[in-house]
Amino acid sequence: MQRLEKFVDPLPILNTLQPNKRTKQGAYYDITMEAFKTKLHRDLPRTTLWGYNGQFPGPLIEAFRDEPVSVTWHNELPDRHILPVDTSIHGLDKLPTVRTVVHLHGMETTQESDGHPEAWYTRNFQITGPTFSKRTFHYPNHQRSTLLWYHDHAMGLTRLNVYAGLAGMYLLRDKQEASLNLPSGEYEIPLMITDRSFHPDGSLSYPAQPADAGPNLPYPSIVPAFLGDTVVVNGKVWPYLEVEPRKYRFRILNGSNTRAYQLFLDDGSVLHQIGSDGGLLRKRVDMEIIGLQPAERIDVIVDFSQLAGQTITLKNNLGPDADPADEMGDIIQFRVTNHVKNKDTSNLPSNLSYVPSLKQNDISTVRYLKLVGSADEFDRPLLLLNHLKWHDPVTEKPKLDSTEIWAFVNTTDFSHPIHIHLVQFQVLDHQTFDLERFNEDGTLIFTGSPEAASPNNRSWKDTIEVPAGTVTRVIANFGPYTGDYVWHCHILEHEDYDMMRPFRVITDDEDKK
């Protein structure tokens, strides 16, 4: 289709959803997944999407630490999917093609409310998956303030359901964050960055098969990765935002299926990073460029106070080998006005929060977990964890309240963002190894010393990039709940097939059985 002009639509500002009711048990929301049509760009016909409460991104939920939230996520979607469903994986040929379940990414909650991939359900809960147990999900919010996000997590359909629009953001607040006097109100803006492709009629474009599909491949057939050709921020293609010459706080999420970003400001301004997936950093880290893998979040302050009257663009560094025709180097344009409406009294603190190190804990187990590439019977790429598929028996069974080190050994030739449900972890280090030798005979020979996590990844994380040919070690305490959870690559095309594994948090009594 023809090129869409950039920076012609204003950025949509997400409004906070009000609860349906508040009781002694906390806030309660009814949120409905439904199909709708909307204009994502001035020159693009209306696009059919699926969205929570008929919007994309879904409504912004704001919660406070230790004040629980309950949500009934209603599926009122059509019976037919708007994207090509591959029924050759996970026995999907025997299941409904429209199924959903919501995972609140980064939330510490019970297994029944975690959005387990097989806890799916169809329209009006008519058909439910094998691990479905309740209609209303409960979120205790017993954790630090941060930006979480909710998205679909249905088995074998996550890439399609999220791409169709089933994603939204969840802001968790606490008193410690409030005491810092950071930019707030209209000067704190959540940004969900995604990539999409469109047909000329405005409909979403998503490949039904890999580009090099052979004659024996199923149709439709899952693709090993997806990169869209337009950037969509808060539901608008390449938007602009008018800002005052003052400090702004941006809560940024990479909501793309596969695409990672390298974010920077084209005038050389600093991105003052104050938080990551699990909330505030110990200390502010001033960054010229910040990498952002799928599902990762960053919390940054940008000071526009010396930029009155200027136009600044948040860019994506495509690297020296990028195709000159690649349009994906732009994210959003900031147009700085000449005056502030009110005096800026917000802070840009250096010291932010206390993050206790887990390295002093007793380490009960160190697990080496391999990220491996293989092929299926159709010669399609099949990416696995520890050479196991989703339905193979559970092999990771951390004990309740135990501390473990998980060492991700990436034997593939590209990065994977690994996400662990239930916990926030700390990144210990990355260490390169001889990838060619490992893939020849399985010998792990390190080629460099362990390198500590970058300063902006030294707080709590729930998703971390595991670069090719490295062992990336993270440390986590497994609690406060027992039960069945999952860990997986957050490239959604990988997660769906078959780079996702269950793990089970067990008690001492269960361990003795």
Side-chain angles (χ1 to χ4, degrees):
M1 62 174 291
Q2 82 264 20
R3 177 185 178 275
L4 293 172
E5 187 177 349
K6 297 177 180 179
F7 315 131
V8 297
D9 291 299
L11 175 81
I13 302 299
L14 306 181
N15 294 318
T16 302
L17 184 67
Q18 296 304 308
N20 294 79
K21 62 182 178 182
R22 291 187 185 273
T23 69
K24 292 180 180 179
Q25 286 72 46
Y28 172 79
Y29 297 83
D30 270 304
I31 296 178
T32 300
M33 297 167 253
E34 54 195 349
F36 68 105
K37 286 180 176 286
T38 189
K39 280 185 73 68
L40 299 178
H41 185 275
R42 180 194 66 188
D43 302 325
L44 196 64
R46 291 199 306 163
T47 302
T48 296
L49 297 174
W50 290 358
Y52 298 102
N53 281 2
Q55 61 189 78
F56 172 67
L60 180 65
I61 300 174
E62 191 167 353
F64 295 86
R65 186 171 186 167
D66 299 324
E67 296 182 11
V69 163
S70 296
V71 184
T72 303
W73 304 97
H74 299 273
N75 179 345
E76 295 188 7
L77 294 166
D79 294 330
R80 185 184 179 96
H81 214 292
I82 59 174
L83 297 170
V85 177
D86 180 355
T87 59
S88 72
I89 61 174
H90 296 301
L92 298 191
D93 56 330
K94 302 177 181 65
L95 299 178
T97 55
V98 177
R99 297 169 286 111
T100 61
V101 63
V102 179
H103 170 54
L104 179 50
H105 182 120
M107 175 58 65
E108 300 168 6
T109 188
T110 62
Q111 62 176 4
E112 295 86 2
S113 296
D114 186 56
H116 189 277
E118 295 193 299
W120 53 261
Y121 50 95
T122 63
R123 185 181 178 95
N124 297 325
F125 302 99
Q126 290 175 349
I127 307 172
T128 59
T131 64
F132 176 89
S133 62
K134 59 192 296 187
R135 297 186 178 197
T136 299
F137 283 14
H138 183 72
Y139 305 118
N141 295 320
H142 295 318
Q143 57 195 93
R144 308 167 88 232
S145 66
T146 190
L147 172 65
L148 308 174
W149 69 299
Y150 58 92
H151 61 81
D152 188 76
H153 212 278
M155 193 73 211
L157 290 175
T158 299
R159 72 197 184 284
L160 304 178
N161 290 349
V162 172
Y163 189 75
L166 291 176
M169 291 184 279
Y170 184 109
L171 277 173
L172 183 57
R173 308 285 195 187
D174 66 16
K175 292 179 181 177
Q176 198 272 328
E177 174 201 23
S179 71
L180 295 174
N181 189 31
L182 302 168
S184 61
E186 63 183 297
Y187 306 109
E188 179 188 23
I189 300 177
L191 300 176
M192 181 189 289
I193 302 173
T194 63
D195 60 340
R196 296 289 187 270
S197 293
F198 303 98
H199 295 294
D201 67 355
S203 61
L204 289 173
S205 174
Y206 186 91
Q209 283 190 310
D212 57 353
N216 298 321
L217 218 56
Y219 187 90
S221 182
I222 190 167
V223 296
F226 173 80
L227 297 174
D229 58 14
T230 64
V231 172
V232 181
V233 185
N234 288 7
K236 284 293 182 185
V237 172
W238 286 305
Y240 70 87
L241 175 67
E242 194 173 89
V243 296
E244 299 172 30
R246 51 159 295 146
K247 294 189 291 294
Y248 280 74
R249 183 183 185 187
F250 295 104
R251 316 295 293 270
I252 304 176
L253 157 70
N254 180 356
S256 297
N257 282 27
T258 296
R259 185 181 293 277
Y261 299 90
Q262 295 286 330
L263 302 177
F264 69 100
L265 293 165
D266 67 350
D267 72 325
S269 290
V270 170
L271 295 163
H272 302 284
Q273 186 170 348
I274 60 172
S276 61
D277 302 342
L280 294 169
L281 304 175
R282 292 182 176 93
K283 294 179 178 294
R284 188 185 82 227
V285 182
D286 294 341
M287 306 281 286
E288 292 182 359
I289 186 166
I290 304 177
L292 198 60
Q293 291 284 318
E296 284 190 306
R297 285 91 67 207
I298 55 172
D299 188 350
V300 299
I301 292 176
V302 177
D303 188 353
F304 296 105
S305 61
Q306 303 302 310
L307 303 173
Q310 296 186 39
T311 297
I312 314 299
T313 303
L314 181 66
K315 306 275 285 187
N316 174 30
N317 186 348
L318 299 174
D321 301 324
D323 182 345
D326 192 335
E327 301 261 16
M328 302 300 284
D330 293 313
I331 305 293
I332 181 175
Q333 184 185 83
F334 300 111
R335 300 174 182 175
V336 189
T337 63
N338 287 305
H339 304 285
V340 294
K341 290 188 293 187
N342 300 294
K343 184 180 178 181
D344 183 6
T345 58
S346 64
N347 291 332
L348 181 61
S350 295
N351 296 308
L352 297 163
S353 73
Y354 172 64
V355 180
S357 172
L358 296 181
K359 289 191 285 188
Q360 279 66 50
N361 292 12
D362 292 332
I363 310 302
S364 63
T365 305
V366 178
R367 302 181 190 272
Y368 281 84
L369 304 163
K370 293 185 285 294
L371 286 52
V372 298
S374 62
D376 68 6
E377 68 270 31
F378 302 107
D379 204 31
R380 294 182 295 191
L382 178 60
L383 292 152
L384 301 174
L385 301 170
N386 264 2
H387 295 284
L388 297 172
K389 295 184 178 181
W390 164 255
H391 290 292
D392 288 322
V394 179
T395 49
E396 284 68 56
K397 298 179 182 179
K399 290 183 185 178
L400 180 66
D401 203 31
S402 68
T403 300
E404 296 194 354
I405 291 174
W406 287 23
F408 303 116
V409 185
N410 185 356
T411 72
T412 74
D413 58 1
F414 45 86
S415 289
H416 297 271
I418 297 297
H419 171 46
I420 307 176
H421 285 219
L422 176 64
V423 300
Q424 293 285 336
F425 53 75
Q426 293 172 3
V427 183
L428 294 176
D429 50 47
H430 307 272
Q431 189 170 10
T432 58
F433 64 91
D434 187 332
L435 181 56
E436 186 176 345
R437 176 69 183 274
F438 185 89
N439 287 331
E440 279 178 5
D441 60 16
T443 304
L444 185 62
I445 300 175
F446 289 109
T447 56
S449 301
E451 293 187 9
S454 58
N456 64 322
N457 281 331
R458 293 180 189 171
S459 183
W460 296 106
K461 294 281 292 174
D462 56 49
T463 307
I464 188 63
E465 177 182 5
V466 180
T470 70
V471 175
T472 295
R473 299 191 311 146
V474 305
I475 185 171
N477 183 264
F478 286 84
Y481 306 106
T482 58
D484 291 307
Y485 296 88
V486 300
W487 65 285
H488 56 84
C489 175
H490 219 289
I491 293 175
L492 300 186
E493 285 72 19
H494 296 178
E495 171 184 341
D496 273 349
Y497 186 59
D498 206 312
M499 211 172 188
M500 178 165 62
R501 288 285 296 149
F503 74 89
R504 181 173 300 139
V505 182
I506 62 173
T507 63
D508 280 333
D509 290 341
E510 289 175 283
D511 188 46
K512 293 170 186 174
K513 292 181 181 178

PDB file of all heavy atoms in Angstrom, residues 361-367 398-399 401-405 476 478:
ATOM      1  N   ASN A 361      20.757 -14.341  49.564  1.00  0.00           N
ATOM      2  CA  ASN A 361      19.863 -15.440  49.940  1.00  0.00           C
ATOM      3  C   ASN A 361      20.565 -16.788  49.765  1.00  0.00           C
ATOM      4  O   ASN A 361      21.535 -16.918  49.014  1.00  0.00           O
ATOM      5  CB  ASN A 361      18.596 -15.430  49.072  1.00  0.00           C
ATOM      6  CG  ASN A 361      17.701 -14.243  49.344  1.00  0.00           C
ATOM      7  OD1 ASN A 361      18.090 -13.298  50.014  1.00  0.00           O
ATOM      8  ND2 ASN A 361      16.492 -14.287  48.821  1.00  0.00           N
ATOM      9  N   ASP A 362      20.058 -17.792  50.470  1.00  0.00           N
ATOM     10  CA  ASP A 362      20.502 -19.158  50.230  1.00  0.00           C
ATOM     11  C   ASP A 362      19.979 -19.602  48.868  1.00  0.00           C
ATOM     12  O   ASP A 362      18.761 -19.556  48.624  1.00  0.00           O
ATOM     13  CB  ASP A 362      19.978 -20.098  51.321  1.00  0.00           C
ATOM     14  CG  ASP A 362      20.619 -19.836  52.680  1.00  0.00           C
ATOM     15  OD1 ASP A 362      21.771 -19.361  52.697  1.00  0.00           O
ATOM     16  OD2 ASP A 362      19.963 -20.095  53.707  1.00  0.00           O
ATOM     17  N   ILE A 363      20.858 -20.027  48.000  1.00  0.00           N
ATOM     18  CA  ILE A 363      20.471 -20.453  46.655  1.00  0.00           C
ATOM     19  C   ILE A 363      20.164 -21.947  46.697  1.00  0.00           C
ATOM     20  O   ILE A 363      21.058 -22.764  46.946  1.00  0.00           O
ATOM     21  CB  ILE A 363      21.584 -20.160  45.628  1.00  0.00           C
ATOM     22  CG1 ILE A 363      22.065 -18.702  45.745  1.00  0.00           C
ATOM     23  CG2 ILE A 363      21.090 -20.480  44.218  1.00  0.00           C
ATOM     24  CD1 ILE A 363      20.998 -17.665  45.553  1.00  0.00           C
ATOM     25  N   SER A 364      18.910 -22.304  46.478  1.00  0.00           N
ATOM     26  CA  SER A 364      18.520 -23.709  46.594  1.00  0.00           C
ATOM     27  C   SER A 364      18.861 -24.508  45.345  1.00  0.00           C
ATOM     28  O   SER A 364      19.172 -25.695  45.427  1.00  0.00           O
ATOM     29  CB  SER A 364      17.022 -23.822  46.883  1.00  0.00           C
ATOM     30  OG  SER A 364      16.265 -23.297  45.811  1.00  0.00           O
ATOM     31  N   THR A 365      18.816 -23.854  44.174  1.00  0.00           N
ATOM     32  CA  THR A 365      19.013 -24.568  42.909  1.00  0.00           C
ATOM     33  C   THR A 365      19.573 -23.609  41.865  1.00  0.00           C
ATOM     34  O   THR A 365      19.199 -22.435  41.830  1.00  0.00           O
ATOM     35  CB  THR A 365      17.669 -25.137  42.385  1.00  0.00           C
ATOM     36  OG1 THR A 365      17.072 -25.950  43.389  1.00  0.00           O
ATOM     37  CG2 THR A 365      17.876 -25.972  41.127  1.00  0.00           C
ATOM     38  N   VAL A 366      20.462 -24.129  41.025  1.00  0.00           N
ATOM     39  CA  VAL A 366      20.897 -23.427  39.827  1.00  0.00           C
ATOM     40  C   VAL A 366      20.470 -24.268  38.634  1.00  0.00           C
ATOM     41  O   VAL A 366      20.844 -25.441  38.528  1.00  0.00           O
ATOM     42  CB  VAL A 366      22.417 -23.205  39.800  1.00  0.00           C
ATOM     43  CG1 VAL A 366      22.834 -22.501  38.503  1.00  0.00           C
ATOM     44  CG2 VAL A 366      22.873 -22.392  41.008  1.00  0.00           C
ATOM     45  N   ARG A 367      19.664 -23.689  37.755  1.00  0.00           N
ATOM     46  CA  ARG A 367      19.137 -24.434  36.605  1.00  0.00           C
ATOM     47  C   ARG A 367      19.758 -23.879  35.322  1.00  0.00           C
ATOM     48  O   ARG A 367      19.730 -22.669  35.092  1.00  0.00           O
ATOM     49  CB  ARG A 367      17.614 -24.315  36.518  1.00  0.00           C
ATOM     50  CG  ARG A 367      16.874 -24.790  37.758  1.00  0.00           C
ATOM     51  CD  ARG A 367      15.369 -24.665  37.579  1.00  0.00           C
ATOM     52  NE  ARG A 367      14.664 -24.900  38.833  1.00  0.00           N
ATOM     53  CZ  ARG A 367      14.277 -26.095  39.259  1.00  0.00           C
ATOM     54  NH1 ARG A 367      14.506 -27.159  38.517  1.00  0.00           N
ATOM     55  NH2 ARG A 367      13.643 -26.233  40.412  1.00  0.00           N
ATOM     56  N   PRO A 398      10.373 -25.228  41.439  1.00  0.00           N
ATOM     57  CA  PRO A 398      10.948 -24.523  42.592  1.00  0.00           C
ATOM     58  C   PRO A 398      10.048 -24.631  43.815  1.00  0.00           C
ATOM     59  O   PRO A 398       8.826 -24.674  43.702  1.00  0.00           O
ATOM     60  CB  PRO A 398      11.052 -23.077  42.103  1.00  0.00           C
ATOM     61  CG  PRO A 398      10.090 -22.969  40.970  1.00  0.00           C
ATOM     62  CD  PRO A 398      10.007 -24.320  40.343  1.00  0.00           C
ATOM     63  N   LYS A 399      10.676 -24.677  44.979  1.00  0.00           N
ATOM     64  CA  LYS A 399       9.912 -24.725  46.227  1.00  0.00           C
ATOM     65  C   LYS A 399       9.445 -23.330  46.613  1.00  0.00           C
ATOM     66  O   LYS A 399      10.116 -22.332  46.330  1.00  0.00           O
ATOM     67  CB  LYS A 399      10.766 -25.311  47.354  1.00  0.00           C
ATOM     68  CG  LYS A 399      11.053 -26.786  47.206  1.00  0.00           C
ATOM     69  CD  LYS A 399      11.837 -27.283  48.408  1.00  0.00           C
ATOM     70  CE  LYS A 399      12.247 -28.727  48.249  1.00  0.00           C
ATOM     71  NZ  LYS A 399      13.066 -29.200  49.397  1.00  0.00           N
ATOM     72  N   ASP A 401       8.953 -20.012  48.287  1.00  0.00           N
ATOM     73  CA  ASP A 401       9.843 -19.110  49.017  1.00  0.00           C
ATOM     74  C   ASP A 401      11.316 -19.503  48.898  1.00  0.00           C
ATOM     75  O   ASP A 401      12.148 -19.051  49.677  1.00  0.00           O
ATOM     76  CB  ASP A 401       9.453 -18.992  50.488  1.00  0.00           C
ATOM     77  CG  ASP A 401       9.966 -17.703  51.109  1.00  0.00           C
ATOM     78  OD1 ASP A 401      10.068 -16.692  50.379  1.00  0.00           O
ATOM     79  OD2 ASP A 401      10.307 -17.707  52.309  1.00  0.00           O
ATOM     80  N   SER A 402      11.652 -20.334  47.913  1.00  0.00           N
ATOM     81  CA  SER A 402      13.062 -20.647  47.662  1.00  0.00           C
ATOM     82  C   SER A 402      13.642 -19.638  46.676  1.00  0.00           C
ATOM     83  O   SER A 402      12.916 -19.024  45.896  1.00  0.00           O
ATOM     84  CB  SER A 402      13.202 -22.061  47.103  1.00  0.00           C
ATOM     85  OG  SER A 402      12.637 -22.142  45.796  1.00  0.00           O
ATOM     86  N   THR A 403      14.961 -19.483  46.722  1.00  0.00           N
ATOM     87  CA  THR A 403      15.663 -18.617  45.774  1.00  0.00           C
ATOM     88  C   THR A 403      16.460 -19.489  44.821  1.00  0.00           C
ATOM     89  O   THR A 403      17.217 -20.359  45.260  1.00  0.00           O
ATOM     90  CB  THR A 403      16.595 -17.642  46.505  1.00  0.00           C
ATOM     91  OG1 THR A 403      15.810 -16.825  47.393  1.00  0.00           O
ATOM     92  CG2 THR A 403      17.320 -16.742  45.524  1.00  0.00           C
ATOM     93  N   GLU A 404      16.274 -19.258  43.528  1.00  0.00           N
ATOM     94  CA  GLU A 404      16.953 -20.046  42.515  1.00  0.00           C
ATOM     95  C   GLU A 404      17.650 -19.136  41.514  1.00  0.00           C
ATOM     96  O   GLU A 404      17.229 -17.989  41.296  1.00  0.00           O
ATOM     97  CB  GLU A 404      15.973 -20.945  41.757  1.00  0.00           C
ATOM     98  CG  GLU A 404      15.306 -22.004  42.608  1.00  0.00           C
ATOM     99  CD  GLU A 404      14.609 -23.073  41.769  1.00  0.00           C
ATOM    100  OE1 GLU A 404      14.540 -22.952  40.525  1.00  0.00           O
ATOM    101  OE2 GLU A 404      14.118 -24.051  42.382  1.00  0.00           O
ATOM    102  N   ILE A 405      18.690 -19.667  40.890  1.00  0.00           N
ATOM    103  CA  ILE A 405      19.327 -19.018  39.754  1.00  0.00           C
ATOM    104  C   ILE A 405      18.943 -19.792  38.507  1.00  0.00           C
ATOM    105  O   ILE A 405      19.097 -21.017  38.447  1.00  0.00           O
ATOM    106  CB  ILE A 405      20.862 -18.974  39.917  1.00  0.00           C
ATOM    107  CG1 ILE A 405      21.249 -18.021  41.054  1.00  0.00           C
ATOM    108  CG2 ILE A 405      21.531 -18.535  38.612  1.00  0.00           C
ATOM    109  CD1 ILE A 405      22.737 -18.015  41.386  1.00  0.00           C
ATOM    110  N   ALA A 476      15.827 -15.332  41.357  1.00  0.00           N
ATOM    111  CA  ALA A 476      14.446 -15.020  41.748  1.00  0.00           C
ATOM    112  C   ALA A 476      14.067 -15.798  42.997  1.00  0.00           C
ATOM    113  O   ALA A 476      14.561 -16.906  43.241  1.00  0.00           O
ATOM    114  CB  ALA A 476      13.481 -15.362  40.616  1.00  0.00           C
ATOM    115  N   PHE A 478      10.834 -17.577  44.604  1.00  0.00           N
ATOM    116  CA  PHE A 478       9.580 -18.103  44.070  1.00  0.00           C
ATOM    117  C   PHE A 478       8.511 -18.139  45.152  1.00  0.00           C
ATOM    118  O   PHE A 478       8.517 -18.963  46.046  1.00  0.00           O
ATOM    119  CB  PHE A 478       9.810 -19.486  43.446  1.00  0.00           C
ATOM    120  CG  PHE A 478      10.536 -19.400  42.137  1.00  0.00           C
ATOM    121  CD1 PHE A 478      11.924 -19.326  42.101  1.00  0.00           C
ATOM    122  CD2 PHE A 478       9.833 -19.317  40.949  1.00  0.00           C
ATOM    123  CE1 PHE A 478      12.589 -19.206  40.890  1.00  0.00           C
ATOM    124  CE2 PHE A 478      10.488 -19.196  39.740  1.00  0.00           C
ATOM    125  CZ  PHE A 478      11.876 -19.147  39.710  1.00  0.00           C
TER     126      PHE A 478
END
